[in-house]
Amino acid sequence: MAASNLHTSVYQLRKLLKINGLKDPIQFSQLLERENHDEWSIQQLLNCYEGEFLKDEEYPWAF
């Protein structure tokens, strides 16, 4: 039963992240865990996100 609940929770979390613009949360997580980021890894992080970044926030630097 615990395994079923875990799989359901992970599914719901991935679904919620996708709705909010993050198309591949696993790749995003793996990229974030890198110690050093170069231009390629930063571009890959940006590619994981779809839509307007922080569109509901009023940060002048958000795009």
Side-chain angles (χ1 to χ4, degrees), residues 9 16 25 30 36 62:
S9 296
L16 181 63
Q30 290 170 343
N36 298 314

Side-chain angles (χ1 to χ4, degrees), residues 30-57:
Q30 290 170 343
L31 287 166
L32 283 179
E33 290 176 2
R34 293 177 59 137
E35 288 187 24
N36 298 314
H37 290 280
D38 55 13
E39 185 177 334
W40 179 86
S41 66
I42 292 169
Q43 186 61 52
Q44 293 302 311
L45 283 166
L46 292 173
N47 289 342
C48 288
Y49 193 84
E50 295 177 334
E52 296 179 42
F53 183 65
L54 298 174
K55 69 178 181 178
D56 296 331
E57 304 297 329

